[in-house]
Amino acid sequence: MNKKSFTLLLSALLTFSMLTACSGNNNKNNEAAPSNAGTSGGTDAATAAPEPEKPAEIKIMLPLNTTETPPDTIKTEVEKLTNTKLTNTKLTYQFYPADTYEEKLNSSFATGSLPQVTYLKNQTTFIQMKESMKDGQFWEIGPLLSEFPNLNKLKPEILNNTKVDGKLYTLYIGRPLARQGIIYRKDWADKLGLKPPANVDELFAMAKAFTEQDPDGNGKKDTTGIVDRNELVYGAFKTVSSWFGTPNSWGEKDGQLAPEFEFPQYYDTMDFFKKARDAGYMNQDFAATSKTDAVNMFVSGKAGMYIGGSMQDIDTLNKDLVKNYPDAVLDTHSMVAGPDGKFAQWMIPGYNNVVLFPKSAVKDEAELKSILAFFDKMMTPEVANLMYWGIEGTHYTVVDGKAKPADDKELIEREVKGFKDSVIGEAETNGMYQSLNVLPGRIHAEELLLENVKVGVADPTAALDSATYTSKGVELQQIISDATYKYIYGQIDKAGFEKEVQAWKERGGQKIIEEYNAVYKK
């Protein structure tokens, strides 16, 4: 099909889609037979649209944050909603466990086997791919977005945070700017007479009490205060670090940008976790604990605080916890003051993941546009709701203009969760329903999200480019991550940590500092 024909086809597709009522959600795994939707009877042969030569086949790779690969329930419905007289969609979702997704992503990239649509995992994997974007291994999509009315609604300030050398290669999965905080056992706190921690000292005191004062009342010393995982950013460390006043990745010192680990508050945070680990107030092997294992430890009643990540996870944690302990009560908290009495929350750049389109899999601009047309439909309320909430009447109902999830949480997690994590944009841009929250701790979490932003601290380098950081940043960050774990584990002291910082600088870190400062405040 030549370029002119494709343009006419796309125009017809978009025009038709505006006239077709849809209802939708996201989908995942394997192939399902395509089905056409939106056709109507009574069309005569002279005006009937031509049948497509073949389905628009789109393969999608993405991380899976559940234990089970979802069935085709949602995928099949998405195919129906994205089919018209002129085109139909055949989707293949390739799910890989989130805990090992980076390994799969890197190996697929190295062997040239990435599919047409490749979701990354987080900002770290995005950084890993920046150099490849510069090398032309992924399609630039910025100049094309204006052709797609729904994709063109994506927030420009967030798109700018994902640009590489001023060019846009990605679509983003939007997230609230500051979702992190504490999900904690309120029933334990009430039993022990504890209020939500007002500052970092009270946070430590709660961890101690949850460990030493038998909060579950079984007469055994078998609980711990904090459960953490092998993730310094999305686990507990960065959240607590922000409460201590550490800058968000980079901060200003004497008019120049400096990395967070050169600030005294970073050392204060390491000391906090070292003291907690030494005393047994957190899981001893946290540096080797996966997210799945950390969650399992919390919902099995072995820990009292789950810090970092997203306070919105309280719904899932509560669902699994009350199976084991029906009387358990969870709540959320985030306003924890630092030693100086001030509040701060680190903020993400408005997204937690992005999507790329490899040139090794997408052969030309016409195919790229057909894929973008699919994502444009994903950003309609009908498809966004399908992928995010599921099938109305089965996975959710609409109450007061909001989505109320069904009582069968296992069904939602099994059939919908995998697709939910792939929806482009956010409610303001894709029109999907907001959540009707009924769990008190979740209602509290939504209130705290707004409070967090009021004291939010942005990463000043989010929209800046450093060639050395792009090519070596992830590798160099591992030096600091390893040193941080070693310090907390007592394997090195402050001098040893400073030695590792010097190694970071000598291997390229100093160059990163210089490059960021060269463009800072321009």
Side-chain angles (χ1 to χ4, degrees), residues 141-188:
I141 64 170
L144 303 177
L145 290 193
S146 61
E147 300 180 27
F148 301 93
N150 296 312
L151 292 179
N152 205 38
K153 296 175 184 177
L154 290 168
K155 296 179 179 180
E157 64 272 24
I158 299 178
L159 291 173
N160 286 337
N161 285 336
T162 71
K163 286 183 177 178
V164 178
D165 281 350
K167 296 180 179 180
L168 181 67
Y169 299 85
T170 61
L171 300 175
Y172 70 83
I173 293 85
R175 290 293 183 271
L177 292 172
R179 300 186 297 163
Q180 67 280 354
I182 309 170
I183 299 173
Y184 72 99
R185 290 290 298 270
K186 185 178 186 300
D187 55 323
W188 287 8

Side-chain angles (χ1 to χ4, degrees), residues 273-289:
F273 282 99
K274 183 179 187 305
K275 184 179 177 182
R277 183 180 178 275
D278 287 348
Y281 302 157
M282 65 183 296
N283 49 320
Q284 297 293 289
D285 60 345
F286 77 96
T289 301

Side-chain angles (χ1 to χ4, degrees), residues 402-437:
K402 295 184 178 182
K404 179 183 179 181
D407 293 334
D408 192 343
K409 308 303 182 186
E410 287 78 10
L411 178 68
I412 296 172
E413 182 164 324
R414 183 171 65 254
E415 295 188 349
V416 183
K417 171 65 173 171
F419 300 101
K420 178 178 184 176
D421 294 336
S422 69
V423 177
I424 300 301
E426 52 276 294
E428 304 97 291
T429 55
N430 61 31
M432 66 186 181
Y433 292 121
Q434 299 278 8
S435 175
L436 179 71
N437 299 308

Side-chain angles (χ1 to χ4, degrees), residues 342-367:
K342 296 180 179 179
F343 296 102
Q345 301 285 352
W346 71 278
M347 297 193 300
I348 65 172
Y351 67 93
N352 78 328
N353 200 0
V354 295
V355 188
L356 287 169
F357 308 95
K359 288 186 176 179
S360 60
V362 181
K363 63 181 180 298
D364 53 31
E365 188 174 283
E367 183 179 1

Side-chain angles (χ1 to χ4, degrees), residues 418-475:
F419 300 101
K420 178 178 184 176
D421 294 336
S422 69
V423 177
I424 300 301
E426 52 276 294
E428 304 97 291
T429 55
N430 61 31
M432 66 186 181
Y433 292 121
Q434 299 278 8
S435 175
L436 179 71
N437 299 308
V438 294
L439 186 69
R442 175 60 187 274
I443 295 172
H444 191 201
E446 295 299 324
E447 296 169 348
L448 290 172
L449 296 186
L450 302 178
E451 295 300 312
N452 281 357
V453 174
K454 294 178 183 178
V455 295
V457 179
D459 177 356
T461 68
L464 302 182
D465 275 326
S466 159
T468 305
Y469 189 73
T470 297
S471 62
K472 302 179 67 175
V474 175
E475 169 193 341

